[in-house]
Amino acid sequence: MKTRLAASAFALLASGAVAQDLETTIPSSVGAVAPALQNHLNEDIFDGVWNDEALSMRDRALVTFAALMTRHEVNNIESHVALALDAGVTPAEISETITHLAFYTGMGNAIAAAEATAPVFEARGITADDLPPVDPELLPLNEEAEAAREETVQSNYANVSPGVVDTTREILFLDLWLRPDLEPRDRSLVTVAALIAAGQPEQMTFHLNRAMDNGLTQEEAGAMLSHLAFYAGWPRVFSAMPVAKEVFESRAE
Amino acid sequence: MKTRLAASAFALLASGAVAQDLETTIPSSVGAVAPALQNHLNEDIFDGVWNDEALSMRDRALVTFAALMTRHEVNNIESHVALALDAGVTPAEISETITHLAFYTGMGNAIAAAEATAPVFEARGITADDLPPVDPELLPLNEEAEAAREETVQSNYANVSPGVVDTTREILFLDLWLRPDLEPRDRSLVTVAALIAAGQPEQMTFHLNRAMDNGLTQEEAGAMLSHLAFYAGWPRVFSAMPVAKEVFESRAE
Amino acid sequence: MKTRLAASAFALLASGAVAQDLETTIPSSVGAVAPALQNHLNEDIFDGVWNDEALSMRDRALVTFAALMTRHEVNNIESHVALALDAGVTPAEISETITHLAFYTGMGNAIAAAEATAPVFEARGITADDLPPVDPELLPLNEEAEAAREETVQSNYANVSPGVVDTTREILFLDLWLRPDLEPRDRSLVTVAALIAAGQPEQMTFHLNRAMDNGLTQEEAGAMLSHLAFYAGWPRVFSAMPVAKEVFESRAE
């Protein structure tokens, strides 16, 4: 049954541009050095996990992009931006993801991702008009949640680093998270993916809860873990699993 | 005494190709910018730790390759593949290590490692005939150990991510770990090296025990830690030391 | 008030070469792909955190260099070496930082940093005469502190990895840390920055205490955390904050 589902999903996939894009992410040297790896890429990843309907192909493209950016896999980003666009991620969403993850994985990763993205945007005629403005009208703030967050951070860290406390509030939670061109659910999705890829499960509880508050389902979160195992390595995912388990269980209570 | 041992080992080393290979891993700019670093590389690393007989030069080459691949040090891989081959690692073992660590440190690292390895293989006339087939006859499974592993993972995570549970069993433990062209002991060696280099001591207990079940001695494991300090940095190793200590002590009981 | 301080500091900055250097660290593709990110870089980082007087611009340049080297951001290092020199870091200090962090983040990062630094040194006519010798006269050893450190490491790890115990003493604490061309306070500064950027808060307690023993103030440490949030990502800093809090509180008692 499971095999049949996967096969039928692949029929859909194979008819589109994404399947071709996936092939282009592998240089020919892989087959020359590690035929078994080439086979895994084709069977388990491209014809496998990408077709598991528990997470949409569009979400998988976004999650993969977040992981590659976090891991500073500069050479793999260009092909995956093309793939993401073909899978239905908009140019505005790519742009916002880069800006968002600048803060969640460091400016250098964002600068490198922008450089790798620019030729794809240029080739497809994507211009500033297609991208989010510097100062859009912001989404409404959940004032109660923000007050709780600020209270926790203030009481813990006001004396440790007032700079961190201030910039976290002003730049991240009163601005970045309220920008409308990446849905809060997607913002959370790429944040959690980045935390898993970076090996920071200790920062995941807050963001996975926020992701699920923002609409990510438990099935999707579980499928993201399975997807990221291939791109960030099994150990990163196994370190994230106990945190996911705890979050899922605490929300079921 | 210790100095004498090291010196005599170096006589053997200097006569071989590995000593020359080690020199080629340093660009001339190092001496122009940091003469002290150049000196450390020569004295403490090439004439030092590589000659410590507690771990064979062949194992050190494999461990170093695993660390470089995990750290995505793309520019340093080609020279270290040549070094590994000269130190007695076979092309099939390099190929299998890349495929193995694809799962333990992420596909992107494996793809980059394959790209960096391809020119060395080509220059030495290594072809598909020298490499492991996609579907070799697998080693026999230790069914009891696998049943215990599966039971633990199932009971913890079946509801968190069925995809992770399934792929861990099907792709990793019923296939990858049973492929014959990299000894289980070496598979464990590169896995533990990758976990240390990635800063994941929390995943090390299972794999260091498995490595020692597969034949890695305590002395070799301790020497690997000392070797990796140079390639992954002292802090990575100091975070791994308490885990190694606990594993060693639990096995001595 | 705070805004006024920042503005006046920026007047000083803008008159110097550092402001121009900061601009050169961003390729033009950033604006084409993520206008909002370009704006954040200008407003929050270049005109923002770099001008916060809680940490000198020279220290910020050193901390940023340490973070980039740790993260293997090879393409961003050259421009930041030029920036560091313009901000008052000496060539000898750059050289020593590379050698020091070779041990704290791995040889491969140091080799890549040296390669990226060489063209800047060459362009500015910096030669071996400007750099620390291989064997300088060492600073006096704090024998009591060293005996305590050695006792802890020996008693914990002599049986785990004698190689690590020996090299830690001989190479790091009886040599590297005593080299005079990078002040102990600065050596600690780049070490703590590297640990935060690498995601190793578990190794920070010893080194942050040492940094403060060596003269780093609590305000400077807090400002370093705020600075690194931009370069290493918020989650790295939020994982380091509880450790900093604990160290600050334990020293206040």
Side-chain angles (χ1 to χ4, degrees):
Chain A
M1 179 65 181
K2 196 185 154 205
T3 310
R4 199 167 302 173
L5 272 177
S8 92
F10 183 60
L12 289 175
L13 167 65
S15 68
V18 175
Q20 286 169 30
D21 289 334
L22 282 167
E23 305 281 334
T24 69
T25 63
I26 318 182
S28 62
S29 45
V30 169
V33 168
L37 174 59
Q38 173 84 59
N39 189 60
H40 280 299
L41 285 160
N42 290 334
E43 294 204 353
D44 300 326
I45 305 184
F46 304 159
D47 297 356
V49 75
W50 278 87
N51 294 293
D52 176 350
E53 290 167 334
L55 190 67
S56 75
M57 205 157 290
R58 178 260 183 203
D59 286 350
R60 291 180 187 278
L62 210 48
V63 162
T64 306
F65 177 73
L68 297 178
M69 184 175 153
T70 301
R71 290 160 58 90
H72 207 75
E73 290 190 19
V74 176
N75 293 338
N76 293 330
I77 289 179
E78 185 173 336
S79 57
H80 283 88
V81 168
L83 187 159
L85 293 171
D86 287 338
V89 180
T90 68
E93 287 168 339
I94 296 278
S95 178
E96 281 295 301
T97 299
I98 291 173
T99 300
H100 186 87
L101 293 183
F103 294 95
Y104 281 91
T105 86
M107 288 298 136
N109 288 344
I111 291 169
E115 279 193 275
T117 298
V120 186
F121 277 15
E122 203 186 332
R124 298 193 179 205
I126 296 162
T127 67
D129 291 345
D130 304 305
L131 303 178
V134 169
D135 281 317
E137 193 173 332
L138 298 177
L139 299 175
L141 177 69
N142 178 335
E143 300 205 4
E144 197 184 339
E146 173 56 15
R149 189 207 58 74
E150 174 71 9
E151 156 65 17
T152 306
V153 173
Q154 273 282 0
S155 66
N156 278 319
Y157 300 126
N159 296 325
V160 176
S161 177
V164 172
V165 173
D166 290 350
T167 51
T168 302
R169 181 186 59 248
E170 297 299 325
I171 305 180
L172 302 195
F173 287 94
L174 298 187
D175 183 356
L176 190 70
W177 279 93
L178 304 179
R179 293 173 58 85
D181 290 282
L182 188 66
E183 294 280 338
R185 179 261 195 199
D186 292 339
R187 229 169 251 285
S188 285
L189 183 76
V190 297
T191 304
V192 175
L195 291 173
I196 296 169
Q200 298 209 261
E202 80 278 8
Q203 296 294 328
M204 223 178 92
T205 304
F206 174 82
H207 285 290
L208 183 54
N209 269 307
R210 191 174 168 97
M212 295 177 81
D213 291 344
N214 285 337
L216 191 77
T217 68
Q218 180 170 328
E219 189 189 17
E220 287 172 330
M224 173 173 60
L225 285 161
S226 188
H227 189 91
L228 282 171
F230 293 97
Y231 288 92
W234 254 253
R236 291 293 196 223
V237 165
F238 265 91
S239 292
M241 296 270 273
V243 181
K245 183 185 171 72
E246 216 174 273
V247 169
F248 294 166
E249 287 174 356
S250 77
R251 297 177 69 92
E253 275 165 16
Chain B
M1 178 63 181
K2 196 184 156 203
T3 312
R4 199 168 300 172
L5 272 177
S8 91
F10 183 60
L12 289 174
L13 165 65
S15 68
V18 175
Q20 287 170 28
D21 289 334
L22 282 167
E23 304 282 333
T24 69
T25 64
I26 319 182
S28 62
S29 46
V30 169
V33 167
L37 173 60
Q38 173 85 59
N39 189 60
H40 280 299
L41 284 160
N42 290 334
E43 293 204 353
D44 300 326
I45 305 184
F46 304 159
D47 296 357
V49 74
W50 279 87
N51 294 292
D52 176 351
E53 290 168 334
L55 190 68
S56 75
M57 205 155 292
R58 178 260 181 202
D59 285 350
R60 290 180 187 277
L62 210 48
V63 162
T64 307
F65 177 73
L68 297 178
M69 184 176 153
T70 301
R71 291 160 58 89
H72 207 74
E73 290 190 18
V74 176
N75 293 337
N76 293 331
I77 289 179
E78 184 172 337
S79 57
H80 284 87
V81 168
L83 187 159
L85 292 170
D86 288 338
V89 180
T90 67
E93 287 168 339
I94 296 277
S95 177
E96 282 295 302
T97 299
I98 292 172
T99 300
H100 185 87
L101 293 184
F103 294 95
Y104 281 92
T105 86
M107 288 299 138
N109 288 343
I111 290 169
E115 279 193 275
T117 298
V120 186
F121 276 15
E122 202 187 332
R124 298 193 179 204
I126 296 162
T127 66
D129 291 345
D130 304 305
L131 302 178
V134 169
D135 281 317
E137 192 173 332
L138 298 178
L139 299 175
L141 177 69
N142 178 334
E143 301 204 3
E144 196 183 341
E146 173 56 13
R149 190 207 57 74
E150 174 71 8
E151 156 65 16
T152 306
V153 173
Q154 274 281 0
S155 64
N156 278 319
Y157 300 126
N159 295 326
V160 176
S161 177
V164 172
V165 172
D166 290 350
T167 51
T168 301
R169 180 186 59 248
E170 297 299 323
I171 305 180
L172 302 195
F173 287 94
L174 298 187
D175 182 356
L176 191 69
W177 279 92
L178 305 178
R179 292 174 58 85
D181 289 282
L182 188 66
E183 294 281 337
R185 180 260 192 200
D186 292 340
R187 230 169 251 285
S188 285
L189 184 75
V190 297
T191 305
V192 175
L195 291 172
I196 295 169
Q200 298 208 262
E202 80 278 8
Q203 295 294 328
M204 222 178 92
T205 305
F206 173 82
H207 284 291
L208 182 54
N209 269 307
R210 191 174 168 99
M212 295 177 81
D213 291 344
N214 285 338
L216 190 77
T217 68
Q218 180 170 328
E219 190 189 17
E220 288 172 329
M224 174 172 58
L225 284 161
S226 188
H227 189 91
L228 282 172
F230 292 97
Y231 288 93
W234 255 252
R236 292 292 196 223
V237 165
F238 265 89
S239 291
M241 297 269 273
V243 181
K245 183 183 170 72
E246 215 174 273
V247 168
F248 294 167
E249 286 174 357
S250 77
R251 298 176 68 93
E253 275 164 14
Chain C
M1 178 65 181
K2 196 184 157 204
T3 311
R4 198 167 303 173
L5 272 177
S8 92
F10 183 60
L12 289 175
L13 166 65
S15 68
V18 174
Q20 287 171 28
D21 290 333
L22 282 167
E23 305 281 334
T24 70
T25 62
I26 318 181
S28 62
S29 45
V30 169
V33 167
L37 173 60
Q38 174 84 58
N39 189 60
H40 280 300
L41 285 160
N42 289 335
E43 293 204 353
D44 300 327
I45 305 185
F46 303 159
D47 296 357
V49 75
W50 278 87
N51 294 293
D52 175 351
E53 291 167 333
L55 190 68
S56 75
M57 205 156 290
R58 178 260 182 203
D59 285 350
R60 291 180 187 277
L62 210 48
V63 162
T64 307
F65 177 73
L68 297 178
M69 184 176 153
T70 301
R71 290 160 58 89
H72 207 75
E73 290 190 18
V74 176
N75 292 338
N76 293 329
I77 289 179
E78 185 173 337
S79 57
H80 284 87
V81 168
L83 187 160
L85 293 170
D86 287 339
V89 180
T90 67
E93 287 168 339
I94 296 277
S95 177
E96 282 295 301
T97 298
I98 292 173
T99 300
H100 185 88
L101 293 184
F103 295 95
Y104 281 91
T105 86
M107 287 299 137
N109 288 344
I111 291 169
E115 279 192 276
T117 298
V120 186
F121 277 15
E122 203 186 333
R124 299 194 179 205
I126 296 162
T127 67
D129 291 345
D130 305 304
L131 302 178
V134 169
D135 280 318
E137 192 174 332
L138 298 177
L139 299 175
L141 177 68
N142 178 335
E143 302 204 2
E144 197 182 340
E146 173 57 14
R149 189 206 59 74
E150 174 71 9
E151 157 64 17
T152 306
V153 173
Q154 274 282 359
S155 65
N156 278 319
Y157 301 126
N159 296 326
V160 176
S161 177
V164 172
V165 173
D166 290 350
T167 52
T168 301
R169 182 185 58 249
E170 297 301 323
I171 305 180
L172 301 196
F173 286 93
L174 299 186
D175 183 356
L176 190 69
W177 278 92
L178 305 178
R179 293 174 59 87
D181 289 283
L182 187 67
E183 295 281 336
R185 180 261 193 202
D186 292 339
R187 230 169 250 287
S188 286
L189 184 75
V190 298
T191 305
V192 175
L195 292 173
I196 295 169
Q200 297 210 262
E202 80 278 8
Q203 295 294 326
M204 222 178 93
T205 304
F206 174 81
H207 284 290
L208 182 55
N209 269 308
R210 191 175 168 99
M212 294 178 81
D213 292 344
N214 285 337
L216 190 77
T217 68
Q218 180 170 328
E219 190 190 15
E220 289 172 330
M224 174 173 59
L225 285 161
S226 188
H227 189 91
L228 283 171
F230 293 97
Y231 288 93
W234 254 253
R236 291 292 196 225
V237 165
F238 265 89
S239 292
M241 296 270 273
V243 181
K245 183 184 170 74
E246 214 175 274
V247 169
F248 294 166
E249 286 174 357
S250 78
R251 297 176 70 92
E253 276 164 16

